């Protein structure tokens, strides 16, 4: 029987002046969160806006959610706006259950639509 291939998290950061878009792909789960967290965290003091594009994310667990919360908190401390784009149904439900949906600004609500 062939092994099931579970796509782990991959991401790329696209900078444009004092803003950046982080495009995430795969599963944002335990064991995959620290690299993204560290790479984005180091950029926050230089940026005014960070948008996390979750369109190609297939699943987020509690560690992934925790990394998003940590990034949000660090962004706020550095004066950087932190927005989520393309929330999937699974993540939207998790954010609702944890009362975090209203905490995260959604880029779609602010007219930001990264193609």
């Amino acid at each position: 029987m062939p092994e099931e291939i579970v796509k782990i998290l991959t991401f790329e950061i696209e900078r444009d002046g004092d803003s950046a878009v982080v495009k995430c792909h795969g599963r944002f789960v335990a064991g995959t969160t620290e690299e993204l967290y560290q790479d984005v965290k180091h950029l926050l003091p230089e940026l005014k806006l960070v948008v996390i594009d979750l369109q190609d994310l297939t699943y987020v667990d509690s560690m992934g959610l925790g990394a998003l919360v940590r990034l949000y908190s660090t962004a706020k401390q550095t004066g950087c706006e932190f927005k989520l784009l393309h929330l999937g149904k699974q993540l939207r439900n998790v954010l609702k259950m944890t009362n975090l949906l209203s905490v995260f600004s959604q880029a779609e609500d602010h007219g930001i639509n990264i193609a």
Side-chain angles (χ1 to χ4, degrees):
M1 181 187 300
E3 283 185 41
E4 181 180 328
I5 298 174
V6 176
K7 186 177 179 186
I8 61 168
L9 180 72
T10 60
F11 64 93
E12 58 268 352
I13 300 172
E14 298 173 2
R15 285 191 65 170
D16 183 13
D18 57 3
S19 65
V21 176
V22 182
K23 293 186 176 186
C24 300
H25 315 277
R27 297 170 56 87
F28 198 26
V29 296
T32 68
T33 61
E34 196 59 27
E35 183 181 0
L36 178 118
Y37 173 76
Q38 290 298 330
D39 285 1
V40 175
K41 177 185 163 193
H42 292 301
L43 294 176
L44 291 175
E46 306 166 19
L47 300 173
K48 291 185 180 174
L49 171 66
V50 171
V51 176
I52 308 293
D53 185 345
L54 305 169
Q55 183 168 8
D56 293 330
L57 218 57
T58 58
Y59 185 76
V60 179
D61 72 359
S62 61
M63 291 295 288
L65 182 60
L68 291 174
V69 171
R70 288 169 48 209
L71 283 172
Y72 171 82
S73 176
T74 304
K76 287 293 183 193
Q77 291 171 2
T78 63
C80 178
E81 282 188 82
F82 185 84
K83 300 187 184 302
L84 301 179
L85 183 65
H86 299 125
L87 289 180
K89 184 177 181 181
Q90 184 261 336
L91 180 55
R92 187 177 299 275
N93 287 339
V94 169
L95 291 173
K96 279 182 187 175
M97 286 190 297
T98 56
N99 292 317
L100 289 170
L101 188 60
S102 62
V103 172
F104 286 104
S105 292
Q106 296 175 52
E108 294 100 330
D109 295 344
H110 297 275
I112 299 170
N113 191 357
I114 311 299

